[in-house]
Amino acid sequence: MLTKTKIYLSSPHMGGTEQKFVDEAFDTNWIAPLGPHVDGFENDLQRYLGEDKHVAALSSGTAAIHLALQLLNVSKGDEVLCQSFTFSASANPIIYQGATPVFIDSEPDTWNMSPELLEIAIKDRIEKHKKPKAIIAVHLYGMPYKAKEINEISKTYNIPVIEDSAEALGSSYFGQPCATLSDVGILSFNGNKIITTSGGGALIVKNASLKNRAVFLSTQARDNAPHYEHSNIGYNYRLSNVLAGIGRGQMEVIDDRVNARRKNFDFYKTNLSQFNSIEFLEEPQGFFSNRWITCIKTDSFEARERIRLTLQEDDIESRPLWKPMHVQPIFKDCLRFTNGISEDLFEKGLCLPSGSNLNQEDLDRILNNILKTPNI
Ligand SMILES: *Cc1c(COP(=O)(O)O)cnc(C)c1O
């Protein structure tokens, strides 16, 4: 019998020219966390996101969130409001800064931060003389959050928003690219994201001086002197020129990657439409998702597990949706404003294989396994 290959949730998908850029870095000996590919990759991202944007290429999305908090002067003892339904990397940098996360649950239309709960939380914290310093909202699985409502609250209370767009390069909100909808945006180019540099990230800001500040902090905060002079704590967070070369190759195919992931979503949705017990997350009018991961919501934990284990039997990777931060052991003592939505999604939701490199045979194999799962 032929052994089938494993199907992954979301695996790297090279476009073809990445190797040429990497070779160029070797040929010119630019093996450093600076160089022409770093500049070139930043320019590619700026062109894609809007020429008035300023992009700093960094070593990870997590590093970008950490620097974003610093640019907004979040420090020890401050409170930061953070979407609870997310990956832990959205929240961890709050702790790196010695600040305290306050978790906000989701709303049902996008599965992202609930504007209602956000405002309730802000009023509560202000009443207790603990006005939050920043808001971290996330375009989870590529679906934009309700940016108009969240930005209005941000403006009313004068609290800046960090836009965690790690999963949402290629998504947009009423025509405006995700990562440019708020005060500071971040991207990730980790191996499982829509494009990858194997590891990398970016910070997107509105002016050159903020970008310069971020680059300064990301390259060990060296003051202007012939020797090493420091009046700030710095970080080693700049992207390698070799990895930026991979990013330049990947930016040539970003539109194809978005189209392929959206096609995966359409395939699953069309072919599972006969099941009332399986729900998909629809795009509200004006919202455009890159469909980084196609997620389904079943009608019970047991049904979700039956599908997951049937797929696993055939060496197909699927995974429960993100476990909300407010139920993570490490954050058990943190304040939270909840409504049950993210916990329900965690209980019943499943991420299906969604790579842009899945072929029709892969998709059919995944579908047939779901179709043969008992009692769905
Ligand atoms: C991947 C991810 C991050 C972190 O990005 P890294 O590049 O892996 O550090 C942050 N937030 C979300 C929502 C992510 O999915």
Side-chain angles (χ1 to χ4, degrees):
M1 199 183 104
L2 274 171
T3 44
K4 290 185 191 165
T5 49
K6 177 165 175 148
I7 296 178
Y8 291 94
L9 203 58
S10 177
S11 67
H13 185 188
M14 292 298 106
T17 61
E18 292 85 358
Q19 186 76 55
K20 176 190 74 132
F21 286 108
V22 171
D23 287 347
E24 200 177 304
F26 274 74
D27 293 344
T28 54
N29 206 31
W30 274 110
I31 315 292
L34 80 166
H37 286 340
V38 174
D39 301 339
F41 185 41
E42 288 178 345
N43 288 335
D44 293 345
L45 287 164
Q46 269 160 221
R47 212 168 303 125
Y48 187 75
L49 296 171
E51 287 293 0
D52 55 334
K53 303 300 175 303
H54 298 262
V55 175
L58 301 171
S59 55
S60 71
T62 311
I65 297 172
H66 192 192
L67 291 184
L69 290 168
Q70 307 211 10
L71 293 181
L72 299 176
N73 296 314
V74 171
S75 59
K76 198 161 187 264
D78 288 338
E79 287 190 0
V80 176
L81 302 159
C82 182
Q83 184 165 320
S84 186
F85 191 45
T86 187
F87 175 48
S88 64
S90 303
N92 286 340
I94 301 169
I95 308 289
Y96 304 165
Q97 280 305 92
T100 308
V102 174
F103 292 112
I104 312 293
D105 215 326
S106 293
E107 46 76 20
D109 302 335
T110 69
W111 298 356
N112 291 316
M113 183 180 271
S114 156
E116 286 75 27
L117 284 181
L118 175 66
E119 187 158 29
I120 290 170
I122 291 173
K123 285 181 172 160
D124 174 86
R125 302 321 292 151
I126 290 176
E127 203 175 286
K128 303 198 165 84
H129 307 288
K130 280 271 188 189
K131 183 177 166 183
K133 220 34 192 294
I135 299 163
I136 301 178
V138 188
H139 305 300
L140 209 63
Y141 302 115
M143 180 62 76
Y145 60 72
K146 290 190 171 172
K148 181 171 146 283
E149 289 83 346
I150 291 191
N151 286 345
E152 266 167 22
I153 294 168
S154 157
K155 229 168 136 191
T156 303
Y157 297 93
N158 195 22
I159 305 173
V161 178
I162 296 171
E163 186 185 354
D164 182 343
S165 209
E167 302 178 359
L169 181 62
S171 300
S172 61
Y173 177 83
F174 291 91
Q176 198 180 334
C178 285
T180 71
L181 306 175
S182 77
D183 303 274
V184 189
I186 77 98
L187 293 167
S188 166
F189 312 112
N190 199 357
N192 60 350
K193 299 287 161 48
I194 191 148
I195 64 162
T196 182
T197 58
S198 82
L203 187 71
I204 293 85
V205 289
K206 298 228 178 318
N207 62 57
S209 76
L210 279 172
K211 175 186 167 171
N212 293 341
R213 178 79 187 160
V215 170
F216 167 77
L217 291 171
S218 74
T219 49
Q220 308 286 21
R222 272 188 74 187
D223 294 343
N224 198 5
H227 59 277
Y228 280 82
E229 178 84 5
H230 300 278
S231 31
N232 288 270
I233 295 295
Y235 301 87
N236 185 2
Y237 278 174
R238 197 74 163 125
L239 185 65
S240 148
N241 191 61
V242 179
L243 303 186
I246 303 177
R248 293 187 78 178
Q250 289 270 277
M251 279 307 285
E252 292 180 356
V253 293
I254 176 71
D255 292 339
D256 297 340
R257 298 300 180 259
V258 173
N259 290 335
R261 298 223 180 211
R262 286 179 61 87
K263 265 180 77 183
N264 291 337
F265 176 88
D266 290 341
F267 173 83
Y268 287 126
K269 196 184 156 219
T270 305
N271 290 288
L272 295 171
S273 60
Q274 70 271 36
F275 297 103
N276 294 326
S277 56
I278 297 181
E279 279 176 53
F280 289 83
L281 182 61
E282 298 298 337
E283 289 165 321
Q285 200 259 317
F287 290 56
F288 180 89
S289 170
N290 66 8
R291 296 294 186 189
W292 173 57
I293 299 279
T294 295
C295 304
I296 53 173
K297 188 180 168 214
T298 68
D299 59 356
S300 69
F301 170 78
E302 291 75 18
R304 195 281 304 283
E305 281 300 276
R306 280 197 296 274
I307 297 172
R308 189 178 69 80
L309 295 169
T310 305
L311 291 170
Q312 192 178 71
E313 274 299 291
D314 198 27
D315 217 7
I316 299 168
E317 188 180 34
S318 69
R319 194 170 296 156
L321 302 192
W322 297 121
K323 181 172 181 174
M325 291 305 111
H326 71 269
V327 287
Q328 295 286 358
I330 188 70
F331 295 125
K332 69 180 187 323
D333 298 327
C334 293
L335 193 61
R336 73 276 316 274
F337 291 81
T338 57
N339 55 17
I341 287 179
S342 64
E343 285 178 61
D344 189 50
L345 286 166
F346 173 59
E347 186 180 308
K348 300 173 185 160
L350 190 67
C351 299
L352 297 178
S354 300
S356 47
N357 49 5
L358 293 174
N359 59 33
Q360 193 56 46
E361 200 182 320
D362 296 330
L363 288 167
D364 289 337
R365 184 173 140 203
I366 299 160
L367 177 67
N368 288 333
N369 276 285
I370 299 175
L371 294 177
K372 79 171 200 214
T373 304
N375 299 321
I376 56 165

